[in-house]
Amino acid sequence: MPRLSTPYLWPEIVHELRSRSSVTQAELATALGCSVSTVSKWERGETTPVAHAQRKMDELGRPLGYPRSGWPRKGEQRRLFF
């Protein structure tokens, strides 16, 4: 069964979450209960996280100042600061 598309930019979200928490793909995979190859596919934009993983990422991101409400969305105008 095909997955529904989500409005989020998963490669950016996964990379930012890993960066803010200073973890490897393997460590994030362990925290989310998935495989390293799954996290890698999200970060490359090949697949999107299932709902359970999205909720876990929100839980992990909140203490880091990166809750779901701050995640970038497709088609969203982004501000770049130099």
Side-chain angles (χ1 to χ4, degrees), residues 3 8-29 32 34-49 57:
R3 292 196 181 137
Y8 298 106
L9 295 172
W10 291 111
E12 290 183 32
I13 294 164
V14 174
H15 178 78
E16 183 66 20
L17 185 59
R18 286 196 323 102
S19 177
R20 287 185 185 216
S21 58
S22 301
V23 298
T24 64
Q25 287 181 342
E27 291 167 327
L28 182 60
L32 297 174
C34 65
S35 70
V36 177
S37 64
T38 297
V39 172
S40 179
K41 287 177 184 178
W42 296 339
E43 207 161 338
R44 290 192 316 263
E46 292 178 11
T47 62
T48 60
M57 283 190 269

PDB file of all heavy atoms in Angstrom, residues 3 8-29 32 34-49 57:
ATOM      1  N   ARG A   3       2.305   4.974   0.638  1.00  0.00           N
ATOM      2  CA  ARG A   3       2.186   5.911   1.749  1.00  0.00           C
ATOM      3  C   ARG A   3       1.637   7.239   1.244  1.00  0.00           C
ATOM      4  O   ARG A   3       1.912   7.654   0.130  1.00  0.00           O
ATOM      5  CB  ARG A   3       3.542   6.158   2.387  1.00  0.00           C
ATOM      6  CG  ARG A   3       4.047   4.951   3.083  1.00  0.00           C
ATOM      7  CD  ARG A   3       5.163   5.336   4.023  1.00  0.00           C
ATOM      8  NE  ARG A   3       5.638   4.128   4.659  1.00  0.00           N
ATOM      9  CZ  ARG A   3       6.898   3.843   4.849  1.00  0.00           C
ATOM     10  NH1 ARG A   3       7.814   4.668   4.469  1.00  0.00           N
ATOM     11  NH2 ARG A   3       7.248   2.725   5.422  1.00  0.00           N
ATOM     12  N   TYR A   8       6.035  17.807   4.752  1.00  0.00           N
ATOM     13  CA  TYR A   8       7.330  18.161   5.320  1.00  0.00           C
ATOM     14  C   TYR A   8       8.507  17.816   4.418  1.00  0.00           C
ATOM     15  O   TYR A   8       8.438  16.909   3.614  1.00  0.00           O
ATOM     16  CB  TYR A   8       7.519  17.454   6.668  1.00  0.00           C
ATOM     17  CG  TYR A   8       6.496  17.873   7.693  1.00  0.00           C
ATOM     18  CD1 TYR A   8       5.459  17.021   8.050  1.00  0.00           C
ATOM     19  CD2 TYR A   8       6.563  19.123   8.301  1.00  0.00           C
ATOM     20  CE1 TYR A   8       4.513  17.403   8.987  1.00  0.00           C
ATOM     21  CE2 TYR A   8       5.618  19.513   9.232  1.00  0.00           C
ATOM     22  CZ  TYR A   8       4.599  18.649   9.570  1.00  0.00           C
ATOM     23  OH  TYR A   8       3.660  19.035  10.487  1.00  0.00           O
ATOM     24  N   LEU A   9       9.600  18.542   4.624  1.00  0.00           N
ATOM     25  CA  LEU A   9      10.857  18.297   3.901  1.00  0.00           C
ATOM     26  C   LEU A   9      11.710  17.364   4.760  1.00  0.00           C
ATOM     27  O   LEU A   9      12.548  17.794   5.550  1.00  0.00           O
ATOM     28  CB  LEU A   9      11.589  19.616   3.653  1.00  0.00           C
ATOM     29  CG  LEU A   9      10.873  20.599   2.729  1.00  0.00           C
ATOM     30  CD1 LEU A   9      11.597  21.936   2.703  1.00  0.00           C
ATOM     31  CD2 LEU A   9      10.768  20.018   1.335  1.00  0.00           C
ATOM     32  N   TRP A  10      11.471  16.069   4.615  1.00  0.00           N
ATOM     33  CA  TRP A  10      12.096  15.081   5.486  1.00  0.00           C
ATOM     34  C   TRP A  10      13.615  15.074   5.460  1.00  0.00           C
ATOM     35  O   TRP A  10      14.246  14.929   6.515  1.00  0.00           O
ATOM     36  CB  TRP A  10      11.514  13.694   5.220  1.00  0.00           C
ATOM     37  CG  TRP A  10      10.104  13.664   5.690  1.00  0.00           C
ATOM     38  CD1 TRP A  10       8.979  13.581   4.933  1.00  0.00           C
ATOM     39  CD2 TRP A  10       9.653  13.789   7.033  1.00  0.00           C
ATOM     40  NE1 TRP A  10       7.850  13.641   5.729  1.00  0.00           N
ATOM     41  CE2 TRP A  10       8.247  13.773   7.024  1.00  0.00           C
ATOM     42  CE3 TRP A  10      10.304  13.925   8.256  1.00  0.00           C
ATOM     43  CZ2 TRP A  10       7.477  13.882   8.178  1.00  0.00           C
ATOM     44  CZ3 TRP A  10       9.542  14.028   9.410  1.00  0.00           C
ATOM     45  CH2 TRP A  10       8.147  14.001   9.368  1.00  0.00           C
ATOM     46  N   PRO A  11      14.266  15.221   4.317  1.00  0.00           N
ATOM     47  CA  PRO A  11      15.735  15.240   4.364  1.00  0.00           C
ATOM     48  C   PRO A  11      16.279  16.334   5.289  1.00  0.00           C
ATOM     49  O   PRO A  11      17.188  16.097   6.080  1.00  0.00           O
ATOM     50  CB  PRO A  11      16.141  15.478   2.906  1.00  0.00           C
ATOM     51  CG  PRO A  11      15.003  14.905   2.122  1.00  0.00           C
ATOM     52  CD  PRO A  11      13.778  15.254   2.934  1.00  0.00           C
ATOM     53  N   GLU A  12      15.684  17.508   5.224  1.00  0.00           N
ATOM     54  CA  GLU A  12      16.126  18.615   6.077  1.00  0.00           C
ATOM     55  C   GLU A  12      15.806  18.346   7.542  1.00  0.00           C
ATOM     56  O   GLU A  12      16.613  18.638   8.428  1.00  0.00           O
ATOM     57  CB  GLU A  12      15.468  19.926   5.641  1.00  0.00           C
ATOM     58  CG  GLU A  12      15.980  20.441   4.320  1.00  0.00           C
ATOM     59  CD  GLU A  12      15.360  21.782   3.958  1.00  0.00           C
ATOM     60  OE1 GLU A  12      15.058  22.575   4.878  1.00  0.00           O
ATOM     61  OE2 GLU A  12      15.180  22.019   2.759  1.00  0.00           O
ATOM     62  N   ILE A  13      14.627  17.814   7.796  1.00  0.00           N
ATOM     63  CA  ILE A  13      14.203  17.561   9.174  1.00  0.00           C
ATOM     64  C   ILE A  13      15.099  16.526   9.837  1.00  0.00           C
ATOM     65  O   ILE A  13      15.587  16.733  10.957  1.00  0.00           O
ATOM     66  CB  ILE A  13      12.730  17.112   9.212  1.00  0.00           C
ATOM     67  CG1 ILE A  13      11.831  18.252   8.760  1.00  0.00           C
ATOM     68  CG2 ILE A  13      12.341  16.601  10.597  1.00  0.00           C
ATOM     69  CD1 ILE A  13      10.422  17.833   8.397  1.00  0.00           C
ATOM     70  N   VAL A  14      15.341  15.417   9.153  1.00  0.00           N
ATOM     71  CA  VAL A  14      16.158  14.356   9.735  1.00  0.00           C
ATOM     72  C   VAL A  14      17.588  14.854   9.957  1.00  0.00           C
ATOM     73  O   VAL A  14      18.179  14.639  11.022  1.00  0.00           O
ATOM     74  CB  VAL A  14      16.140  13.087   8.853  1.00  0.00           C
ATOM     75  CG1 VAL A  14      17.100  12.038   9.388  1.00  0.00           C
ATOM     76  CG2 VAL A  14      14.727  12.525   8.767  1.00  0.00           C
ATOM     77  N   HIS A  15      18.120  15.558   8.974  1.00  0.00           N
ATOM     78  CA  HIS A  15      19.479  16.091   9.116  1.00  0.00           C
ATOM     79  C   HIS A  15      19.553  17.075  10.285  1.00  0.00           C
ATOM     80  O   HIS A  15      20.478  17.020  11.102  1.00  0.00           O
ATOM     81  CB  HIS A  15      19.932  16.755   7.821  1.00  0.00           C
ATOM     82  CG  HIS A  15      21.290  17.353   7.929  1.00  0.00           C
ATOM     83  ND1 HIS A  15      22.442  16.597   7.867  1.00  0.00           N
ATOM     84  CD2 HIS A  15      21.685  18.620   8.137  1.00  0.00           C
ATOM     85  CE1 HIS A  15      23.484  17.387   8.023  1.00  0.00           C
ATOM     86  NE2 HIS A  15      23.049  18.615   8.186  1.00  0.00           N
ATOM     87  N   GLU A  16      18.593  17.972  10.386  1.00  0.00           N
ATOM     88  CA  GLU A  16      18.594  18.976  11.455  1.00  0.00           C
ATOM     89  C   GLU A  16      18.422  18.326  12.823  1.00  0.00           C
ATOM     90  O   GLU A  16      19.091  18.703  13.786  1.00  0.00           O
ATOM     91  CB  GLU A  16      17.488  20.010  11.219  1.00  0.00           C
ATOM     92  CG  GLU A  16      17.449  21.129  12.240  1.00  0.00           C
ATOM     93  CD  GLU A  16      18.658  22.051  12.207  1.00  0.00           C
ATOM     94  OE1 GLU A  16      19.363  22.099  11.187  1.00  0.00           O
ATOM     95  OE2 GLU A  16      18.898  22.745  13.218  1.00  0.00           O
ATOM     96  N   LEU A  17      17.547  17.350  12.912  1.00  0.00           N
ATOM     97  CA  LEU A  17      17.345  16.643  14.176  1.00  0.00           C
ATOM     98  C   LEU A  17      18.632  15.935  14.602  1.00  0.00           C
ATOM     99  O   LEU A  17      19.033  16.003  15.766  1.00  0.00           O
ATOM    100  CB  LEU A  17      16.195  15.648  14.041  1.00  0.00           C
ATOM    101  CG  LEU A  17      15.775  14.914  15.306  1.00  0.00           C
ATOM    102  CD1 LEU A  17      15.344  15.893  16.396  1.00  0.00           C
ATOM    103  CD2 LEU A  17      14.648  13.946  14.996  1.00  0.00           C
ATOM    104  N   ARG A  18      19.291  15.284  13.660  1.00  0.00           N
ATOM    105  CA  ARG A  18      20.553  14.618  13.983  1.00  0.00           C
ATOM    106  C   ARG A  18      21.622  15.625  14.383  1.00  0.00           C
ATOM    107  O   ARG A  18      22.380  15.412  15.320  1.00  0.00           O
ATOM    108  CB  ARG A  18      21.050  13.779  12.801  1.00  0.00           C
ATOM    109  CG  ARG A  18      20.270  12.526  12.591  1.00  0.00           C
ATOM    110  CD  ARG A  18      20.935  11.485  11.699  1.00  0.00           C
ATOM    111  NE  ARG A  18      21.688  11.964  10.555  1.00  0.00           N
ATOM    112  CZ  ARG A  18      23.021  12.050  10.511  1.00  0.00           C
ATOM    113  NH1 ARG A  18      23.757  11.703  11.541  1.00  0.00           N
ATOM    114  NH2 ARG A  18      23.617  12.474   9.414  1.00  0.00           N
ATOM    115  N   SER A  19      21.662  16.740  13.674  1.00  0.00           N
ATOM    116  CA  SER A  19      22.654  17.768  13.963  1.00  0.00           C
ATOM    117  C   SER A  19      22.446  18.362  15.358  1.00  0.00           C
ATOM    118  O   SER A  19      23.390  18.488  16.135  1.00  0.00           O
ATOM    119  CB  SER A  19      22.563  18.866  12.902  1.00  0.00           C
ATOM    120  OG  SER A  19      23.455  19.905  13.181  1.00  0.00           O
ATOM    121  N   ARG A  20      21.208  18.708  15.666  1.00  0.00           N
ATOM    122  CA  ARG A  20      20.913  19.307  16.977  1.00  0.00           C
ATOM    123  C   ARG A  20      21.157  18.342  18.125  1.00  0.00           C
ATOM    124  O   ARG A  20      21.514  18.772  19.218  1.00  0.00           O
ATOM    125  CB  ARG A  20      19.468  19.803  17.028  1.00  0.00           C
ATOM    126  CG  ARG A  20      19.240  21.047  16.214  1.00  0.00           C
ATOM    127  CD  ARG A  20      17.837  21.556  16.398  1.00  0.00           C
ATOM    128  NE  ARG A  20      17.580  22.681  15.527  1.00  0.00           N
ATOM    129  CZ  ARG A  20      16.821  23.714  15.863  1.00  0.00           C
ATOM    130  NH1 ARG A  20      16.233  23.742  17.037  1.00  0.00           N
ATOM    131  NH2 ARG A  20      16.635  24.684  15.009  1.00  0.00           N
ATOM    132  N   SER A  21      20.949  17.078  17.892  1.00  0.00           N
ATOM    133  CA  SER A  21      21.141  16.101  18.966  1.00  0.00           C
ATOM    134  C   SER A  21      22.530  15.455  18.919  1.00  0.00           C
ATOM    135  O   SER A  21      22.863  14.648  19.784  1.00  0.00           O
ATOM    136  CB  SER A  21      20.058  15.021  18.903  1.00  0.00           C
ATOM    137  OG  SER A  21      20.060  14.371  17.661  1.00  0.00           O
ATOM    138  N   SER A  22      23.327  15.813  17.917  1.00  0.00           N
ATOM    139  CA  SER A  22      24.691  15.284  17.764  1.00  0.00           C
ATOM    140  C   SER A  22      24.726  13.759  17.775  1.00  0.00           C
ATOM    141  O   SER A  22      25.502  13.142  18.505  1.00  0.00           O
ATOM    142  CB  SER A  22      25.613  15.830  18.862  1.00  0.00           C
ATOM    143  OG  SER A  22      25.667  17.221  18.812  1.00  0.00           O
ATOM    144  N   VAL A  23      23.846  13.149  16.958  1.00  0.00           N
ATOM    145  CA  VAL A  23      23.823  11.689  16.872  1.00  0.00           C
ATOM    146  C   VAL A  23      24.067  11.238  15.436  1.00  0.00           C
ATOM    147  O   VAL A  23      23.867  11.985  14.495  1.00  0.00           O
ATOM    148  CB  VAL A  23      22.475  11.090  17.371  1.00  0.00           C
ATOM    149  CG1 VAL A  23      22.255  11.416  18.827  1.00  0.00           C
ATOM    150  CG2 VAL A  23      21.307  11.553  16.522  1.00  0.00           C
ATOM    151  N   THR A  24      24.486  10.012  15.309  1.00  0.00           N
ATOM    152  CA  THR A  24      24.684   9.405  13.996  1.00  0.00           C
ATOM    153  C   THR A  24      23.349   8.857  13.487  1.00  0.00           C
ATOM    154  O   THR A  24      22.366   8.793  14.239  1.00  0.00           O
ATOM    155  CB  THR A  24      25.679   8.234  14.087  1.00  0.00           C
ATOM    156  OG1 THR A  24      25.103   7.218  14.917  1.00  0.00           O
ATOM    157  CG2 THR A  24      27.018   8.684  14.658  1.00  0.00           C
ATOM    158  N   GLN A  25      23.338   8.447  12.244  1.00  0.00           N
ATOM    159  CA  GLN A  25      22.139   7.807  11.709  1.00  0.00           C
ATOM    160  C   GLN A  25      21.817   6.547  12.504  1.00  0.00           C
ATOM    161  O   GLN A  25      20.655   6.267  12.783  1.00  0.00           O
ATOM    162  CB  GLN A  25      22.312   7.469  10.232  1.00  0.00           C
ATOM    163  CG  GLN A  25      22.273   8.672   9.332  1.00  0.00           C
ATOM    164  CD  GLN A  25      22.415   8.324   7.863  1.00  0.00           C
ATOM    165  OE1 GLN A  25      22.861   7.233   7.501  1.00  0.00           O
ATOM    166  NE2 GLN A  25      22.031   9.254   7.006  1.00  0.00           N
ATOM    167  N   ALA A  26      22.833   5.816  12.898  1.00  0.00           N
ATOM    168  CA  ALA A  26      22.618   4.585  13.673  1.00  0.00           C
ATOM    169  C   ALA A  26      21.996   4.891  15.031  1.00  0.00           C
ATOM    170  O   ALA A  26      21.082   4.183  15.484  1.00  0.00           O
ATOM    171  CB  ALA A  26      23.932   3.839  13.851  1.00  0.00           C
ATOM    172  N   GLU A  27      22.463   5.931  15.679  1.00  0.00           N
ATOM    173  CA  GLU A  27      21.909   6.303  16.989  1.00  0.00           C
ATOM    174  C   GLU A  27      20.470   6.780  16.867  1.00  0.00           C
ATOM    175  O   GLU A  27      19.628   6.452  17.709  1.00  0.00           O
ATOM    176  CB  GLU A  27      22.788   7.368  17.647  1.00  0.00           C
ATOM    177  CG  GLU A  27      24.150   6.827  18.061  1.00  0.00           C
ATOM    178  CD  GLU A  27      25.147   7.910  18.428  1.00  0.00           C
ATOM    179  OE1 GLU A  27      25.107   9.014  17.828  1.00  0.00           O
ATOM    180  OE2 GLU A  27      25.984   7.645  19.304  1.00  0.00           O
ATOM    181  N   LEU A  28      20.180   7.554  15.820  1.00  0.00           N
ATOM    182  CA  LEU A  28      18.797   7.992  15.612  1.00  0.00           C
ATOM    183  C   LEU A  28      17.904   6.798  15.303  1.00  0.00           C
ATOM    184  O   LEU A  28      16.785   6.701  15.819  1.00  0.00           O
ATOM    185  CB  LEU A  28      18.711   9.028  14.487  1.00  0.00           C
ATOM    186  CG  LEU A  28      17.314   9.587  14.219  1.00  0.00           C
ATOM    187  CD1 LEU A  28      16.743  10.280  15.454  1.00  0.00           C
ATOM    188  CD2 LEU A  28      17.337  10.547  13.035  1.00  0.00           C
ATOM    189  N   ALA A  29      18.398   5.882  14.496  1.00  0.00           N
ATOM    190  CA  ALA A  29      17.630   4.678  14.168  1.00  0.00           C
ATOM    191  C   ALA A  29      17.271   3.901  15.433  1.00  0.00           C
ATOM    192  O   ALA A  29      16.137   3.454  15.600  1.00  0.00           O
ATOM    193  CB  ALA A  29      18.407   3.796  13.200  1.00  0.00           C
ATOM    194  N   LEU A  32      14.544   5.627  17.346  1.00  0.00           N
ATOM    195  CA  LEU A  32      13.243   5.572  16.677  1.00  0.00           C
ATOM    196  C   LEU A  32      12.742   4.146  16.479  1.00  0.00           C
ATOM    197  O   LEU A  32      11.608   3.944  16.046  1.00  0.00           O
ATOM    198  CB  LEU A  32      13.323   6.285  15.322  1.00  0.00           C
ATOM    199  CG  LEU A  32      13.646   7.775  15.366  1.00  0.00           C
ATOM    200  CD1 LEU A  32      13.827   8.317  13.962  1.00  0.00           C
ATOM    201  CD2 LEU A  32      12.573   8.542  16.115  1.00  0.00           C
ATOM    202  N   CYS A  34      14.020   1.849  14.306  1.00  0.00           N
ATOM    203  CA  CYS A  34      14.036   1.476  12.889  1.00  0.00           C
ATOM    204  C   CYS A  34      15.466   1.147  12.490  1.00  0.00           C
ATOM    205  O   CYS A  34      16.372   1.180  13.315  1.00  0.00           O
ATOM    206  CB  CYS A  34      13.451   2.593  12.024  1.00  0.00           C
ATOM    207  SG  CYS A  34      14.399   4.120  12.035  1.00  0.00           S
ATOM    208  N   SER A  35      15.690   0.857  11.229  1.00  0.00           N
ATOM    209  CA  SER A  35      17.032   0.510  10.764  1.00  0.00           C
ATOM    210  C   SER A  35      17.798   1.756  10.311  1.00  0.00           C
ATOM    211  O   SER A  35      17.210   2.791  10.002  1.00  0.00           O
ATOM    212  CB  SER A  35      16.947  -0.479   9.604  1.00  0.00           C
ATOM    213  OG  SER A  35      16.426   0.167   8.458  1.00  0.00           O
ATOM    214  N   VAL A  36      19.111   1.601  10.255  1.00  0.00           N
ATOM    215  CA  VAL A  36      19.967   2.680   9.766  1.00  0.00           C
ATOM    216  C   VAL A  36      19.642   2.988   8.313  1.00  0.00           C
ATOM    217  O   VAL A  36      19.610   4.156   7.910  1.00  0.00           O
ATOM    218  CB  VAL A  36      21.462   2.297   9.916  1.00  0.00           C
ATOM    219  CG1 VAL A  36      22.353   3.387   9.349  1.00  0.00           C
ATOM    220  CG2 VAL A  36      21.801   2.021  11.358  1.00  0.00           C
ATOM    221  N   SER A  37      19.376   1.959   7.524  1.00  0.00           N
ATOM    222  CA  SER A  37      19.070   2.195   6.111  1.00  0.00           C
ATOM    223  C   SER A  37      17.773   2.996   5.965  1.00  0.00           C
ATOM    224  O   SER A  37      17.647   3.804   5.045  1.00  0.00           O
ATOM    225  CB  SER A  37      18.986   0.887   5.329  1.00  0.00           C
ATOM    226  OG  SER A  37      17.926   0.088   5.775  1.00  0.00           O
ATOM    227  N   THR A  38      16.834   2.819   6.875  1.00  0.00           N
ATOM    228  CA  THR A  38      15.591   3.594   6.826  1.00  0.00           C
ATOM    229  C   THR A  38      15.877   5.068   7.078  1.00  0.00           C
ATOM    230  O   THR A  38      15.408   5.945   6.347  1.00  0.00           O
ATOM    231  CB  THR A  38      14.579   3.054   7.860  1.00  0.00           C
ATOM    232  OG1 THR A  38      14.244   1.721   7.507  1.00  0.00           O
ATOM    233  CG2 THR A  38      13.324   3.892   7.909  1.00  0.00           C
ATOM    234  N   VAL A  39      16.667   5.365   8.101  1.00  0.00           N
ATOM    235  CA  VAL A  39      17.033   6.759   8.397  1.00  0.00           C
ATOM    236  C   VAL A  39      17.797   7.352   7.215  1.00  0.00           C
ATOM    237  O   VAL A  39      17.547   8.491   6.816  1.00  0.00           O
ATOM    238  CB  VAL A  39      17.861   6.851   9.705  1.00  0.00           C
ATOM    239  CG1 VAL A  39      18.405   8.261   9.909  1.00  0.00           C
ATOM    240  CG2 VAL A  39      17.016   6.423  10.894  1.00  0.00           C
ATOM    241  N   SER A  40      18.685   6.588   6.627  1.00  0.00           N
ATOM    242  CA  SER A  40      19.436   7.052   5.466  1.00  0.00           C
ATOM    243  C   SER A  40      18.514   7.395   4.302  1.00  0.00           C
ATOM    244  O   SER A  40      18.691   8.413   3.633  1.00  0.00           O
ATOM    245  CB  SER A  40      20.446   5.983   5.051  1.00  0.00           C
ATOM    246  OG  SER A  40      21.161   6.391   3.922  1.00  0.00           O
ATOM    247  N   LYS A  41      17.518   6.557   4.064  1.00  0.00           N
ATOM    248  CA  LYS A  41      16.557   6.821   2.978  1.00  0.00           C
ATOM    249  C   LYS A  41      15.745   8.090   3.244  1.00  0.00           C
ATOM    250  O   LYS A  41      15.460   8.844   2.325  1.00  0.00           O
ATOM    251  CB  LYS A  41      15.626   5.630   2.796  1.00  0.00           C
ATOM    252  CG  LYS A  41      16.307   4.444   2.151  1.00  0.00           C
ATOM    253  CD  LYS A  41      15.372   3.256   2.053  1.00  0.00           C
ATOM    254  CE  LYS A  41      16.103   2.047   1.492  1.00  0.00           C
ATOM    255  NZ  LYS A  41      15.239   0.854   1.428  1.00  0.00           N
ATOM    256  N   TRP A  42      15.388   8.328   4.500  1.00  0.00           N
ATOM    257  CA  TRP A  42      14.668   9.568   4.824  1.00  0.00           C
ATOM    258  C   TRP A  42      15.554  10.770   4.532  1.00  0.00           C
ATOM    259  O   TRP A  42      15.114  11.755   3.968  1.00  0.00           O
ATOM    260  CB  TRP A  42      14.292   9.610   6.299  1.00  0.00           C
ATOM    261  CG  TRP A  42      13.329   8.572   6.765  1.00  0.00           C
ATOM    262  CD1 TRP A  42      12.443   7.838   6.015  1.00  0.00           C
ATOM    263  CD2 TRP A  42      13.144   8.138   8.111  1.00  0.00           C
ATOM    264  NE1 TRP A  42      11.721   6.994   6.824  1.00  0.00           N
ATOM    265  CE2 TRP A  42      12.142   7.155   8.110  1.00  0.00           C
ATOM    266  CE3 TRP A  42      13.740   8.485   9.322  1.00  0.00           C
ATOM    267  CZ2 TRP A  42      11.707   6.529   9.279  1.00  0.00           C
ATOM    268  CZ3 TRP A  42      13.312   7.858  10.467  1.00  0.00           C
ATOM    269  CH2 TRP A  42      12.308   6.897  10.453  1.00  0.00           C
ATOM    270  N   GLU A  43      16.809  10.677   4.952  1.00  0.00           N
ATOM    271  CA  GLU A  43      17.734  11.798   4.795  1.00  0.00           C
ATOM    272  C   GLU A  43      18.080  12.059   3.330  1.00  0.00           C
ATOM    273  O   GLU A  43      18.394  13.183   2.953  1.00  0.00           O
ATOM    274  CB  GLU A  43      19.000  11.556   5.622  1.00  0.00           C
ATOM    275  CG  GLU A  43      19.666  12.820   6.036  1.00  0.00           C
ATOM    276  CD  GLU A  43      20.623  12.680   7.200  1.00  0.00           C
ATOM    277  OE1 GLU A  43      20.523  11.715   7.999  1.00  0.00           O
ATOM    278  OE2 GLU A  43      21.485  13.553   7.303  1.00  0.00           O
ATOM    279  N   ARG A  44      18.002  11.035   2.501  1.00  0.00           N
ATOM    280  CA  ARG A  44      18.233  11.203   1.059  1.00  0.00           C
ATOM    281  C   ARG A  44      16.947  11.559   0.310  1.00  0.00           C
ATOM    282  O   ARG A  44      16.974  11.809  -0.893  1.00  0.00           O
ATOM    283  CB  ARG A  44      18.839   9.930   0.473  1.00  0.00           C
ATOM    284  CG  ARG A  44      20.267   9.672   0.896  1.00  0.00           C
ATOM    285  CD  ARG A  44      20.931   8.574   0.090  1.00  0.00           C
ATOM    286  NE  ARG A  44      20.117   7.396  -0.122  1.00  0.00           N
ATOM    287  CZ  ARG A  44      20.160   6.272   0.591  1.00  0.00           C
ATOM    288  NH1 ARG A  44      20.986   6.180   1.607  1.00  0.00           N
ATOM    289  NH2 ARG A  44      19.400   5.247   0.300  1.00  0.00           N
ATOM    290  N   GLY A  45      15.815  11.548   0.997  1.00  0.00           N
ATOM    291  CA  GLY A  45      14.544  11.887   0.365  1.00  0.00           C
ATOM    292  C   GLY A  45      13.933  10.761  -0.442  1.00  0.00           C
ATOM    293  O   GLY A  45      13.033  10.988  -1.242  1.00  0.00           O
ATOM    294  N   GLU A  46      14.378   9.542  -0.224  1.00  0.00           N
ATOM    295  CA  GLU A  46      13.855   8.401  -0.976  1.00  0.00           C
ATOM    296  C   GLU A  46      12.525   7.896  -0.413  1.00  0.00           C
ATOM    297  O   GLU A  46      11.701   7.372  -1.163  1.00  0.00           O
ATOM    298  CB  GLU A  46      14.877   7.267  -0.985  1.00  0.00           C
ATOM    299  CG  GLU A  46      16.113   7.600  -1.776  1.00  0.00           C
ATOM    300  CD  GLU A  46      17.144   6.487  -1.734  1.00  0.00           C
ATOM    301  OE1 GLU A  46      16.826   5.371  -1.271  1.00  0.00           O
ATOM    302  OE2 GLU A  46      18.281   6.737  -2.162  1.00  0.00           O
ATOM    303  N   THR A  47      12.353   7.994   0.893  1.00  0.00           N
ATOM    304  CA  THR A  47      11.108   7.584   1.545  1.00  0.00           C
ATOM    305  C   THR A  47      10.770   8.592   2.629  1.00  0.00           C
ATOM    306  O   THR A  47      11.582   9.463   2.957  1.00  0.00           O
ATOM    307  CB  THR A  47      11.220   6.178   2.190  1.00  0.00           C
ATOM    308  OG1 THR A  47      12.233   6.218   3.195  1.00  0.00           O
ATOM    309  CG2 THR A  47      11.541   5.113   1.158  1.00  0.00           C
ATOM    310  N   THR A  48       9.581   8.469   3.183  1.00  0.00           N
ATOM    311  CA  THR A  48       9.165   9.338   4.283  1.00  0.00           C
ATOM    312  C   THR A  48       8.873   8.504   5.520  1.00  0.00           C
ATOM    313  O   THR A  48       8.469   7.342   5.412  1.00  0.00           O
ATOM    314  CB  THR A  48       7.908  10.156   3.910  1.00  0.00           C
ATOM    315  OG1 THR A  48       6.852   9.249   3.609  1.00  0.00           O
ATOM    316  CG2 THR A  48       8.165  11.056   2.723  1.00  0.00           C
ATOM    317  N   PRO A  49       9.073   9.080   6.694  1.00  0.00           N
ATOM    318  CA  PRO A  49       8.830   8.338   7.928  1.00  0.00           C
ATOM    319  C   PRO A  49       7.348   8.012   8.116  1.00  0.00           C
ATOM    320  O   PRO A  49       6.474   8.802   7.753  1.00  0.00           O
ATOM    321  CB  PRO A  49       9.293   9.298   9.028  1.00  0.00           C
ATOM    322  CG  PRO A  49      10.129  10.317   8.345  1.00  0.00           C
ATOM    323  CD  PRO A  49       9.642  10.407   6.948  1.00  0.00           C
ATOM    324  N   MET A  57      10.061  11.565  16.403  1.00  0.00           N
ATOM    325  CA  MET A  57      10.955  12.663  16.049  1.00  0.00           C
ATOM    326  C   MET A  57      10.494  13.960  16.698  1.00  0.00           C
ATOM    327  O   MET A  57      11.311  14.761  17.155  1.00  0.00           O
ATOM    328  CB  MET A  57      11.068  12.815  14.535  1.00  0.00           C
ATOM    329  CG  MET A  57      11.976  11.777  13.919  1.00  0.00           C
ATOM    330  SD  MET A  57      12.350  12.121  12.197  1.00  0.00           S
ATOM    331  CE  MET A  57      11.040  11.213  11.423  1.00  0.00           C
TER     332      MET A  57
END
